[in-house]
């Protein structure tokens, strides 16, 4: 598929998925219909808790209860995906992010931007988990177009508001393009491993760009934490692992 074609495909996906979340096809997927509906419900709980925290932060109100509810909801979402291949880095990033957000909240220094950053990290976690599902489908000899559609849905515009505030306007579009190219190349089984490695290189390069920009913004504002430095170091390590092993995930080693 050429770049122009993938761009048009992305546009058609987004027209549908930003109106209503698509339903995961049951055939061949890692989840049955009941499991997928459960995942959607848990995801809605995460989004509701986060939206409530963002709304209160905009008013300058403390969000301790909302962050606690978000922590529980994210843990529930993590549990649903525990059976996927190598999910540990995804969970570790979310755990660090929520610990950092909780610390900022209890110390009354959490601001709207901090909650928007968490929204971005949650969106990326969902996106990467769907890529793991694509790998599972490929291993069964299946095509994963429907999972790509789900992945595009996770990249909703509002999840990238914080990055746009930092001047990073193209990361969302880059991630959309990356997964469309991945699925297109993956239709040829002989290209799947190479396509997956190149995909992860693109995604984690984008992640590093974002993490460095976030770190710089927070250092300048005098509000950087250990988590901000940890995130950059972890993504650099993931990129090195991708170069050597084709995946950012090191859990199985």
């Amino acid at each position: 598929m050429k770049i122009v074609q993938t761009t048009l495909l992305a546009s058609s996906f987004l027209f549908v998925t930003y109106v209503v979340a698509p339903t995961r096809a049951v055939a061949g997927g890692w989840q049955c219909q009941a499991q997928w509906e459960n995942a959607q419900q848990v995801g809605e709980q995460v989004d509701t808790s986060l939206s409530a925290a963002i709304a209160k932060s905009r008013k300058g109100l403390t969000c301790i209860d909302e962050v606690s509810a978000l922590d529980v909801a994210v843990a529930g979402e993590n549990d649903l995906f525990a059976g996927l291949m190598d999910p540990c880095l995804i969970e570790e990033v979310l755990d660090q992010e929520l610990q950092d957000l909780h610390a900022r909240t209890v110390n009354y220094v959490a601001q709207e931007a901090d909650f928007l950053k968490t929204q971005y990290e949650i969106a990326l976690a969902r996106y990467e988990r769907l890529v793991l599902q694509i790998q599972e489908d490929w291993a069964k000899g299946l095509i994963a177009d429907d999972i790509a559609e789900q992945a595009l849905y996770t990249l909703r515009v509002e999840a990238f508001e914080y990055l746009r505030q930092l001047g990073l306007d193209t990361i969302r579009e880059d991630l959309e393009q990356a997964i469309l190219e991945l699925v297109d190349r993956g239709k040829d089984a002989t290209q799947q491993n190479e396509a997956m490695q190149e995909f992860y290189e693109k995604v984690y390069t984008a992640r590093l760009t974002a993490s460095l920009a976030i770190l710089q913004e927070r250092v300048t504002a005098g509000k950087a934490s250990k988590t901000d430095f940890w995130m950059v170091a972890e993504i650099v390590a993931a990129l090195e692992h991708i170069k050597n092993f084709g995946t950012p995930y090191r859990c199985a080693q």
Side-chain angles (χ1 to χ4, degrees):
M1 185 181 292
K2 296 180 180 179
I3 298 299
V4 172
Q5 291 173 311
T6 55
T7 302
L8 290 174
L9 179 56
S11 298
S12 65
F13 272 148
L14 297 177
F15 177 79
V16 174
T17 55
Y18 289 160
V19 174
V20 59
T23 301
R24 172 74 168 99
V26 178
W30 69 276
Q31 295 171 315
C32 68
Q33 184 66 35
Q35 287 174 312
W36 183 249
E37 289 175 354
N38 190 28
Q40 287 183 309
Q41 291 173 0
V42 172
E44 289 172 1
Q45 291 172 0
V46 172
D47 294 341
T48 297
S49 298
L50 187 53
S51 294
I54 291 172
K56 287 187 71 173
S57 69
R58 286 173 178 163
K59 298 177 182 178
L61 301 174
T62 183
C63 307
I64 295 174
D65 291 342
E66 288 74 17
V67 171
S68 296
L70 177 63
D71 198 7
V72 171
V74 170
E77 192 167 25
N78 286 343
D79 289 343
L80 284 174
F81 295 92
L84 286 175
M85 299 181 293
D86 298 337
C88 62
L89 179 58
I90 299 172
E91 294 178 7
E92 193 172 0
V93 167
L94 286 176
D95 183 61
Q96 290 289 329
E97 176 67 21
L98 286 167
Q99 285 186 39
D100 186 61
L101 183 63
H102 181 75
R104 293 174 189 272
T105 303
V106 298
N107 288 305
Y108 302 100
V109 296
Q111 298 177 347
E112 179 184 351
D114 300 312
F115 294 98
L116 294 178
K117 178 183 181 297
T118 300
Q119 188 175 47
Y120 156 75
E121 296 292 354
I122 289 171
L124 263 290
R126 291 170 174 171
Y127 175 83
E128 288 191 42
R129 281 171 171 151
L130 286 162
V131 173
L132 291 174
Q133 292 180 48
I134 287 174
Q135 288 181 274
E136 290 195 348
D137 272 19
W138 281 355
K140 299 172 185 176
L142 302 172
I143 302 299
D145 287 0
D146 61 325
I147 307 180
E149 185 176 354
Q150 285 288 337
L152 287 169
Y153 175 72
T154 68
L155 302 176
R156 288 175 289 185
V157 174
E158 63 270 21
F160 291 82
E161 175 60 29
Y162 179 51
L163 296 188
R164 286 201 301 275
Q165 292 177 11
L166 299 180
L168 303 178
D169 296 324
T170 66
I171 285 181
R172 175 173 156 268
E173 290 74 13
D174 293 342
L175 294 173
E176 290 170 357
Q177 187 68 31
I179 199 163
L180 289 168
E181 292 175 358
L182 171 69
V183 173
D184 184 58
R185 288 185 64 192
K187 292 174 183 177
D188 181 346
T190 65
Q191 294 190 42
Q192 287 175 356
N193 289 338
E194 181 181 355
M196 189 62 71
Q197 181 170 2
E198 291 179 3
F199 167 83
Y200 278 130
E201 287 174 351
K202 293 174 185 176
V203 170
Y204 273 77
T205 297
R207 266 190 170 277
L208 182 59
T209 297
S211 293
L212 287 170
I214 291 166
L215 176 61
Q216 181 178 354
E217 189 272 338
R218 286 181 164 179
V219 167
T220 301
K223 58 177 186 177
S225 69
K226 291 182 179 179
T227 296
D228 297 318
F229 291 94
W230 175 90
M231 194 76 73
V232 171
E234 194 67 22
I235 293 171
V236 169
L239 278 166
E240 184 65 21
H241 202 265
I242 292 166
K243 182 171 67 176
N244 293 324
F245 300 101
T247 172
Y249 308 122
R250 306 184 295 279
C251 345
Q253 299 190 5

